[in-house]
Amino acid sequence: MSFTILGTGSALPAKTVTNDDMAKLVETSDEWIRTRTGIRERHVITDESVTEITFTAAQRALEMSGVSPQELDYIICPTVGGDWISPSLACMIQERLGATCPAVDVNAACSGFLYGLDYADGIFARKRAKYVLVAAAEGLSRLLNWKDRSTCVLFGDGAGAAVLGEGDSLRYLHLTAKGSLALHVPHAPGESPFETNEQPPHGLVMDGREIYRFAVSTITAELRRASEETGIPFEKVDHVLLHQANQRIMDAASKKLHLPPEKVPSSIARTANTSAASVPILLDQEARLGHLHRGDILMLCAFGAGLTSGTAVLEWTRD
Amino acid sequence: MANSETLARLEKIISEYKDDLEPGTLTPETTFESLDFDSLDIVDMMMACEDEFGVEIPEDAQLKTVQDLLNLIDKTEE
């Protein structure tokens, strides 16, 4: 026994920052950002908290699923960091929802939602749960180097959630990891009087070329593997939901796999890269637009810092 | 492998990214800048060359002209 997705939800902070707004902060332009990434705007946290946007996304997912917070048996929050290093974001969400179940964060960067689904799969397999909430969220705007024009334009904040119930929708799930600092976020500096390690400067650092290459080759290899292992050819796949890092990555991988653009939806123009939250935000977008139908086959694939990746094949069971 | 044959195969790869590339116009001296390639186009092309020629092109390869790429392909194919 594994799971089926009963409901999805998402939430973005209120403030929108356009590419023109970004051009006032660093030397860039709308044209430069759009042609290289497909991004037009991103949402960033102002006076909200990561906990609040995650709570809203979770509430929306619970509402769609018809499951009450008290019925949840586990809460998993994929994130590189909520509002606190400790307690976890998941514990904050548990408290806000009024749930009483165990709660834990999972950090697999942009692949976090897929890692979260894998852990949920294990919890269902051990018959420890009837309902699990996987609520992914990021406040990456807090972790960026806002003077680095090559990275600060790429990311946004947001949350995406899914309520899972017992079922057999999951056909395949495969995770990878390969330790590397090609994309990394340094820890906040501490104040230990004893530590002599050099403190790295604040802010996310990325080797764009290496990550681009990793992303395109990972998507193509992992989706081919998923198709082979499940025996489902790409023609029979209805929707391919890719981590929203860069439209160019999605286009290059789609071209290699001969996937028609209508099967590869995108939300990057309005969200930018929301790390772990990107796949569930896109999933919720597609569900609420009425694009997903009962029996549709979905392939999800995410990749990111770690370097990690996660790929899943599942059947959509909502009308 | 003769340079002209490699060049022809390379032109075929590049024409997949640039629809307006006239056949036979690519020369070893052609710069990627003149083809309007940005940094991601170059990575795409490097990956396509790896598939086409079965070679490994280093991550940090500095490619300005078609000849730079031809050198790398020939070097790793030997």
Side-chain angles (χ1 to χ4, degrees):
Chain A
M1 177 66 72
S2 184
F3 64 75
T4 190
I5 295 179
L6 301 176
T8 60
S10 61
L12 300 172
K15 184 170 178 61
T16 304
V17 178
T18 65
N19 290 346
D20 287 334
D21 295 333
M22 293 301 297
K24 290 172 196 152
L25 296 173
V26 287
E27 198 183 328
T28 189
S29 69
D30 175 52
E31 198 259 341
W32 194 97
I33 300 170
R34 255 190 308 107
T35 55
R36 279 167 184 76
T37 68
I39 296 165
R40 289 173 184 274
E41 59 185 35
R42 69 285 292 142
H43 290 250
V44 298
I45 282 173
T46 52
D47 58 356
E48 307 98 332
S49 62
V50 174
T51 304
E52 276 169 33
I53 56 170
T54 316
F55 172 65
T56 304
Q59 268 190 320
R60 288 174 179 160
L62 286 163
E63 199 179 305
M64 189 192 284
S65 68
V67 174
S68 73
Q70 294 74 30
E71 290 177 287
L72 291 173
D73 299 303
Y74 224 105
I75 297 172
I76 299 169
C77 285
T79 182
V80 301
D83 295 313
W84 314 97
I85 289 176
S86 187
S88 65
L89 175 61
C91 284
M92 294 289 91
I93 296 306
Q94 188 244 35
E95 190 269 337
R96 285 292 297 274
L97 288 172
T100 53
C101 59
V104 70
D105 286 0
V106 171
N107 180 350
C110 303
S111 314
F113 185 69
L114 276 300
Y115 270 70
L117 290 184
D118 190 54
Y119 297 165
D121 181 36
I123 293 166
F124 283 109
R126 288 187 290 131
K127 301 193 188 306
R128 295 284 182 87
K130 279 196 171 2
Y131 302 109
V132 174
L133 170 68
V134 182
E138 302 288 11
L140 278 185
S141 64
R142 296 167 173 174
L143 305 173
L144 298 175
N145 174 355
W146 284 91
K147 291 187 175 66
D148 178 5
R149 65 177 179 168
S150 66
T151 55
C152 73
V153 301
L154 302 176
F155 298 92
D157 301 331
V163 174
L164 313 177
E166 285 178 305
D168 285 314
S169 297
L170 183 70
R171 305 284 182 82
Y172 172 86
L173 210 159
H174 183 246
L175 306 177
T176 69
K178 185 171 183 281
S180 160
L181 286 174
L183 170 53
H184 67 267
V185 181
H187 208 283
E191 291 184 353
S192 164
F194 303 108
E195 189 178 8
T196 54
N197 291 310
E198 201 181 320
Q199 301 293 333
H202 171 83
L204 179 146
V205 178
M206 180 169 86
D207 178 337
R209 263 162 74 137
E210 188 178 342
I211 294 297
Y212 183 87
R213 215 157 136 138
F214 165 71
V216 176
S217 56
T218 298
I219 297 169
T220 48
E222 289 297 321
L223 289 187
R224 278 192 187 122
R225 182 191 158 113
S227 172
E228 279 162 21
E229 299 256 330
T230 57
I232 303 174
F234 290 126
E235 301 82 68
K236 302 268 184 201
V237 177
D238 299 289
H239 314 273
V240 179
L241 306 189
L242 302 176
H243 167 49
Q244 303 290 294
N246 183 329
Q247 189 64 45
R248 294 270 292 271
I249 290 173
M250 293 190 273
D251 291 347
S254 300
K255 194 171 161 186
K256 279 177 189 281
L257 296 169
H258 307 292
L259 296 170
E262 60 271 20
K263 280 192 182 180
V264 191
S266 173
S267 64
I268 191 155
R270 70 184 176 96
T271 61
N273 180 347
T274 56
S275 183
S278 98
V279 168
I281 288 173
L282 181 65
L283 182 65
D284 186 49
Q285 169 189 299
E286 293 305 292
R288 286 176 196 269
L289 286 171
H291 292 170
L292 310 182
H293 305 100
R294 183 183 289 274
D296 280 1
I297 296 292
L298 278 62
M299 276 189 179
L300 315 181
C301 182
F303 47 85
L307 301 169
T308 57
S309 82
T311 305
V313 179
L314 49 89
E315 187 182 330
W316 190 251
T317 50
R318 286 184 57 85
D319 286 323
Chain B
M1 186 191 292
N3 239 2
S4 61
E5 193 193 323
T6 313
L7 192 65
R9 285 166 71 186
L10 201 54
E11 189 168 77
K12 192 166 164 286
I13 291 172
I14 292 176
S15 65
E16 284 179 24
Y17 299 96
K18 298 290 160 190
D19 300 334
D20 51 356
L21 186 75
E22 296 285 333
T25 56
L26 201 70
T27 71
E29 291 75 36
T30 308
T31 64
F32 294 112
E33 199 182 347
S34 71
L35 294 171
D36 267 345
F37 267 41
D38 66 24
S39 59
L40 298 183
D41 285 321
I42 290 181
V43 181
D44 275 336
M45 187 187 56
M46 285 161 67
M47 292 170 76
C49 286
E50 290 184 338
D51 291 345
E52 170 74 18
F53 299 103
V55 298
E56 211 164 290
I57 298 172
E59 205 77 65
D60 55 357
Q62 296 299 318
L63 304 174
K64 285 203 165 48
T65 64
V66 168
Q67 186 64 53
D68 293 338
L69 188 55
L70 290 171
N71 291 345
L72 274 173
I73 292 168
D74 284 346
K75 200 169 125 199
T76 44
E77 267 199 334
E78 274 164 13

